[in-house]
Amino acid sequence: MTAPGYRLVIGNKAWSSWSLRPWLVLKRFQLPFEEVGVRLRQPDSKSRILAHSPAGKVPALLAGELLVWDSLAIMEFLADRHPGMAIWPRSGDARAIARSTSAEMHSGFQALREHCPMDILAQTPKDILPDAAVLNIRRIVELWRDCRSRFGGSGPFLFSEFSAADAMYAPVASRFRTYIPDLAPFGDDGTAAAYVEAIFDMPEIAEWIEGAKQEHAAPSGA
């Protein structure tokens, strides 16, 4: 099915973890779309976002006259619109766990988000983290290990082939690379470290990082 004129409104690629998620799905599944960037942390950022979405947040996907906002809702919409693509795993059991893990990311891990915000161009390891963030990291390491053990036998991603669940956790992989390059103290047996590498080996992530570099080099008013 040919993709209808999708337009994805996103924030800065260095920081906007929620923007990365649906962008990655669109890119990975080769769904054509127009990218509309809004610089965050600027005086007019809010008004520029509101011009596209009354929710006042990025990302937002426009499909013709239809507006879909929120990263997870956008990915569910794309999965419904393109059922021939395995945006969620095809196996019923794997799909249920993929949705559960994605929902946990969507609503949880607040301490990690607060103390380790996505900054995909940075390399600033942290020696000390609050207990709540440590618990978040341990849970994610455990979650990745469980998904890879149960469903990841034939590929490098959580459910073997890339899916929306990987899009949900790609910004977490970025946080780990920036702030916590050694996951062994958090219970990693090597599975989580290998998964971070798999995410960063994706050409789509390389493209996103290059975009972040270009944004960083451009004048703030551009």
Side-chain angles (χ1 to χ4, degrees), residues 7 9 38 44-54 56 62:
R7 298 176 69 219
V9 183
V38 175
D44 64 343
S45 296
K46 192 72 169 182
S47 62
R48 292 186 63 193
I49 294 170
L50 285 168
H52 299 284
S53 170
L62 294 99

Side-chain angles (χ1 to χ4, degrees), residues 126-209:
K126 291 193 173 187
D127 296 325
I128 300 174
L129 288 165
D131 290 346
V134 170
L135 289 174
N136 284 176
I137 297 164
R138 287 187 175 278
R139 169 57 186 157
I140 293 166
V141 166
E142 175 190 31
L143 186 65
W144 288 359
R145 183 170 58 244
D146 180 62
C147 290
R148 292 286 299 139
S149 173
R150 295 171 64 187
F151 304 106
S154 61
F157 298 107
L158 294 178
F159 298 86
S160 292
E161 299 301 318
F162 179 86
S163 74
D166 299 295
M168 287 299 292
Y169 281 93
V172 179
S174 171
R175 287 174 163 95
F176 287 170
R177 175 164 283 203
T178 296
Y179 302 107
I180 313 142
D182 182 9
L183 292 168
F186 301 90
D188 183 30
D189 61 358
T191 301
Y195 179 64
V196 171
E197 290 303 313
I199 291 294
F200 275 85
D201 282 344
M202 295 175 63
E204 296 84 3
I205 291 292
E207 181 180 344
W208 178 271
I209 291 171

Side-chain angles (χ1 to χ4, degrees), residues 52-107:
H52 299 284
S53 170
K57 295 181 179 180
V58 289
L61 181 77
L62 294 99
E65 297 299 316
L66 179 65
L67 173 69
V68 186
W69 63 98
D70 182 273
S71 297
L72 194 53
I74 292 169
M75 293 191 292
E76 290 284 15
F77 168 77
L78 293 172
D80 287 344
R81 184 65 66 92
H82 303 279
M85 298 178 175
I87 292 174
W88 292 108
R90 296 195 186 280
S91 159
D93 288 356
R95 190 163 59 250
I97 300 303
R99 282 192 161 116
S100 294
T101 60
S102 296
E104 185 173 356
M105 177 65 250
H106 191 263
S107 62

